[in-house]
Amino acid sequence: MVDRAGAAAGPQGRTPALGADGGTGHGTDAGPDPSGAPGTSAPGTAPVPAGPPPAAGPAPGTDPHAGAADGGEQLDRPLPEAVRRRVVGIAADALGSLPAAELPAGLRPYAKFTPARRARYAATALAAALAAEPAFRLRIADRLRLGQPELVRSLEAGAAPAAADPMDVAAAAYLVRPPGWSRLVAEAGEEAERADAEGSAAEAARLAEKLQAELAALRSSSRADADRLRAELDAARRESETLRKRIRSLESDTRRAEAATRKVAAELEAVRAAAQAERSAAEGEARRLRHRLAEAESALEAARRTAREGRSADDMRLRLLLDTVLHAAQGLQRELALPVSGLRPADLVEAVAPASASPHDVARRALAEDDPALLDQLLALPQVHLLVDGYNVTKTGYPSLPLEQQRVRLLGGLSMLAARSGAEVTCVFDGQDLDAPVIMAPPRGVRVRFSRTGETADELIRRLVRAEPGGRPVVVVSSDREVADGVRRAGARPVSSALLLKRLVRT
C-alpha cells in the first residue's frame, strides 16, 4: 500500500498524512458524491477542465526536476471524479504551507482555512488553478514529492508501485506529469468506474435477496394472521351468543324495575301533596306574623319621629340664627373688600428680624460649583422654585438614550428629589419641533412643560423666571451660557447640569 505518512509539507517541514481516500485525514471525501448523482462533484466544487494545462517553468524555490514536461500529453476526457477529489484534497492540505505571494489570487482568501474547509469551499478554485496555472501545480507536486517520495520516484521512473492505491497513483501522476501520466489517470478512472459498477451489481443482488426474504416473511406472516383472525372470529361469535342471552335476562330485570319505579313514583307524589299542604299552612302563618311585626315597627318609628321632632325644634331655631349672622359677616367683608388677616400677635412685637437668604448668598459659603451639597443648600431655601432645562441635562448625562427614555429617567430622579427636599420643581423640554403634543403622565411632585411652536425651551425658562414674584428664590439648572446669563440678570441662581446629575446619582 502507498505510504500515508504525508501529503503536503506543513509549516515545520513535516507533511500531514494522506488518507486512504485521497484526502489528508481532515474530512475530505474521495468516495461517490453525497448527492448520489454519478460523475458530479461535492457541493461547492466543479470538475477540472479537460485538456492539458498551459506549459510553465518551475516556480522559484522549487526543484527544477519536480515538474517534468508532460510531453504534450493530454486527457481525452474530463478528469475522473474520484481522481479530481483526490487531487483537490492534496492541494487543500498543501495550500496552507505555501507563502501567500506564491498563491494564485483566487486562492489567497482560502489560505487561512483548515484543510477540510478548503477542500469543501475552495474545491472549484483549486481544480481550476491546478489546470490553468502550471507553476501552482508544480508547487503542489513539490509538496507531494516531500510527503510521498517513493511514489513520486516510482512514477518518474516509469513504473507505479504494485501495492499503491490507483487513486493515489492517478492523483500523483496528474500533479507530477511523468511520461504516460494521461494513461495512468485514464486507467484510474476506468478502475473507479469498474469498482462502481461492481458495487452497484453487488448492491442490486443484495437488495434482491433482501426483498425475497422480506416477501417470504410477509407470506408467512399473512398466513399466521389469517389463522389468528379465524380464531378470533370464532371467539367473537361465541361471545356474541353469550351477550344475547345476557341481554334477554337484563330486559326481564328492566321490566320488573320499571314496575317498581312506577309504584315508588305514586307514593312519592302522595308525599309531595301532603308536604305542599303543610308548606302552604306554614307560609300563611309566616305572612300573618310578618304583618304583625311590620305594624310594631311602624308604631316604634312613629314614636321615635315624634320624640326627634320635639327635641330638634330649639336646635333648628339656633342654627337659623347662626347662619344669618355668618351670612351678614361675609357680606360685610365682601362689601369692604377686607383682606384675610395674616398677622399674629407675635408679629406686632417690635424686634429686629433676620434678613432673608437668597440663592446668591449660598454661593458665598465656600462650596465648589460642582459640589452636590451646594444644590442641597439651594433647595433648603424657603419657597424655592427649581427650574430644569430638561434636554440640556439629559444630553449631558445620557445622550445615547432615545428622547423618550431620557425624559423618563430624568423625571424619575426629579420626582425623588422633590419628595426629599419639598421644593417646587418644574422641568422644561423643547417642543417647538413637535408635530403633536407628547402624551405622558408626569411624576408626582414635578411640573412638566413643553415650549410652544416657534419658541425654544430657553425662552420658556426666561418667561417662567420673570413670572415669579420679586424676592422668591429661583434656581435654574442649565449648562447653556446664554440661559445662565439671562436668568442671572433676572435674579435667579443658575447651576450646571453636571451638578444636578451628581445630586441625582446620590439620590
Side-chain angles (χ1 to χ4, degrees), residues 112-133:
K112 295 183 179 180
F113 284 23
T114 62
R117 294 189 67 200
R118 289 189 210 113
R120 179 178 180 184
Y121 296 109
T124 302
L126 286 170
L130 290 171
E133 300 190 24

Side-chain angles (χ1 to χ4, degrees), residues 404-416:
E404 181 179 359
Q405 295 185 16
Q406 290 182 16
R407 292 194 297 266
V408 170
R409 182 170 177 179
L410 174 60
L411 294 177
L414 291 176
S415 176
M416 291 188 290

Side-chain angles (χ1 to χ4, degrees), residues 475-494:
V475 179
V476 178
V477 179
S478 178
S479 296
D480 190 328
R481 176 68 65 181
E482 184 178 353
V483 174
D485 295 341
V487 301
R488 184 181 288 107
R489 287 193 296 271
R493 172 67 160 87

Side-chain angles (χ1 to χ4, degrees), residues 416-505:
M416 291 188 290
L417 183 62
R420 186 181 297 273
S421 63
E424 179 183 356
V425 179
T426 302
C427 186
V428 178
F429 293 104
D430 195 347
Q432 65 174 341
D433 296 329
L434 295 177
D435 296 332
V438 177
I439 305 300
M440 63 180 300
R444 184 184 300 274
V446 180
R447 181 188 298 107
V448 181
R449 293 291 183 269
F450 287 85
S451 62
R452 298 173 298 187
T453 302
E455 181 185 37
T456 64
D458 301 345
E459 296 171 349
L460 178 57
I461 290 174
R462 295 191 189 97
R463 287 200 298 115
L464 289 171
V465 172
R466 290 194 298 270
E468 294 294 337
R472 183 182 184 184
V474 179
V475 179
V476 178
V477 179
S478 178
S479 296
D480 190 328
R481 176 68 65 181
E482 184 178 353
V483 174
D485 295 341
V487 301
R488 184 181 288 107
R489 287 193 296 271
R493 172 67 160 87
V495 296
S496 66
S497 298
L499 178 61
L500 176 61
L501 290 171
K502 289 182 179 180
R503 181 62 181 82
L504 293 180
V505 169

